C-alpha cells in the first residue's frame, strides 16, 4: 500500500480546517428557475432533500481527479486544478430535474467574493464572467457522479 497516495486521497477528500468557508448548499425550489437554468427540455423538476443537495459537492473531488487523469488540454487541466484547489470556498445552488433515465441535479458553484452577487437567495446566481469563480455542473443520482462540469470562459 502506498502511504503517500493514501494521505493525498485523504487530503483531497477532507474539508478544510476552516469549516466556516464550507457554505451550505442552497436548494433552488422554483421549477421555472430550474427549467431556465437547465436550458433544455426536461420531464419535470423536484425539490432536493438535504442529502440530495449535498451529493454533487461530495463527489466533486472524485470527478476532478478522474478528469485530470485523462484530460489532454492544458487549459482545461489548469481550470480543473483551480476548481480542485478552491472547492471548499464555493457557494452551491442546486435544483432537481428529471429526464428519461433518471433524476438529476443542476448546480452552480460560485466563490463568495464576486461583487453584486446575492449568494443567499434560492435562485441560481446570474453572473456573466468569473473564470473558475463561477462553474456549473450536472449530477446523476443513478450514477452518483457528476457527468458534466463547465466554468465561465470555457464555452
Amino acid at each position: 500500500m502506498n502511504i503517500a497516495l493514501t494521505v493525498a486521497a485523504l487530503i483531497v477528500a477532507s474539508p478544510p480546517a476552516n469549516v466556516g468557508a464550507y457554505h451550505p448548499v442552497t436548494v433552488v425550489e422554483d421549477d421555472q428557475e430550474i427549467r431556465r437554468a437547465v436550458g433544455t427540455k426536461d420531464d419535470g423538476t423536484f425539490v432536493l432533500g438535504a442529502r440530495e443537495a449535498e451529493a454533487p459537492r461530495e463527489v466533486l473531488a472524485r470527478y476532478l481527479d478522474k478528469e485530470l487523469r485523462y484530460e489532454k488540454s492544458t487549459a482545461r487541466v489548469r481550470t480543473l486544478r483551480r476548481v480542485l484547489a478552491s472547492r471548499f470556498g464555493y457557494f452551491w445552488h442546486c435544483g432537481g430535474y428529471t429526464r428519461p433515465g433518471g433524476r438529476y441535479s443542476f448546480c452552480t458553484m460560485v466563490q463568495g467574493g464576486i461583487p453584486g452577487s446575492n449568494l443567499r437567495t434560492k435562485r441560481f446566481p446570474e453572473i456573466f464572467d468569473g473564470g473558475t469563480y463561477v462553474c456549473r455542473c450536472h449530477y446523476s443520482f443513478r450514477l452518483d457522479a457528476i457527468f458534466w462540469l463547465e466554468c465561465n470562459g470555457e464555452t
Side-chain angles (χ1 to χ4, degrees), residues 14 31 37 44 47 49 51 53 82 85 90 102 105 109 116 125 133 145 150-152 155:
S14 302
D31 67 319
V47 176
R51 181 81 187 101
R82 281 189 206 125
Y90 285 107
S105 179
M109 307 155 40
Y133 287 99
E150 168 189 67
C151 295
N152 267 12
T155 57

Side-chain angles (χ1 to χ4, degrees), residues 10-146:
L10 289 172
I11 291 170
V12 167
S14 302
N18 179 8
V19 178
Y22 201 63
H23 309 288
V25 174
T26 298
V27 175
V28 177
E29 299 174 357
D30 182 301
D31 67 319
Q32 296 291 25
E33 176 75 5
I34 296 167
R35 290 175 193 275
R36 181 192 62 77
V38 170
T40 59
K41 184 158 177 55
D42 55 59
D43 288 346
T45 64
F46 64 96
V47 176
L48 297 167
R51 181 81 187 101
E52 292 172 316
E54 289 289 338
R57 178 164 55 188
E58 290 174 1
V59 301
L60 178 63
R62 183 177 75 201
Y63 170 84
L64 294 168
D65 181 53
K66 179 181 166 195
E67 290 292 305
L68 283 165
R69 276 187 263 139
Y70 300 105
E71 183 58 57
K72 304 277 189 258
S73 164
T74 56
R76 176 75 172 160
V77 165
R78 200 169 25 251
T79 295
L80 295 171
R81 284 184 180 151
R82 281 189 206 125
V83 173
L84 184 62
S86 57
R87 71 192 177 281
F88 296 112
Y90 285 107
F91 282 86
W92 285 70
H93 294 74
C94 297
Y97 67 97
T98 59
R99 288 207 176 128
R103 293 164 32 107
Y104 303 90
S105 179
F106 172 79
C107 301
T108 60
M109 307 155 40
V110 179
Q111 288 187 8
I114 296 179
S117 63
N118 185 349
L119 299 176
R120 299 282 183 201
T121 62
K122 291 188 175 194
R123 300 182 62 81
F124 295 109
E126 291 198 29
I127 301 167
F128 301 102
D129 198 6
T132 57
Y133 287 99
V134 182
C135 301
R136 293 162 290 287
C137 71
H138 289 267
Y139 168 87
S140 166
F141 288 99
R142 183 176 58 80
L143 300 174
D144 185 29
I146 292 172

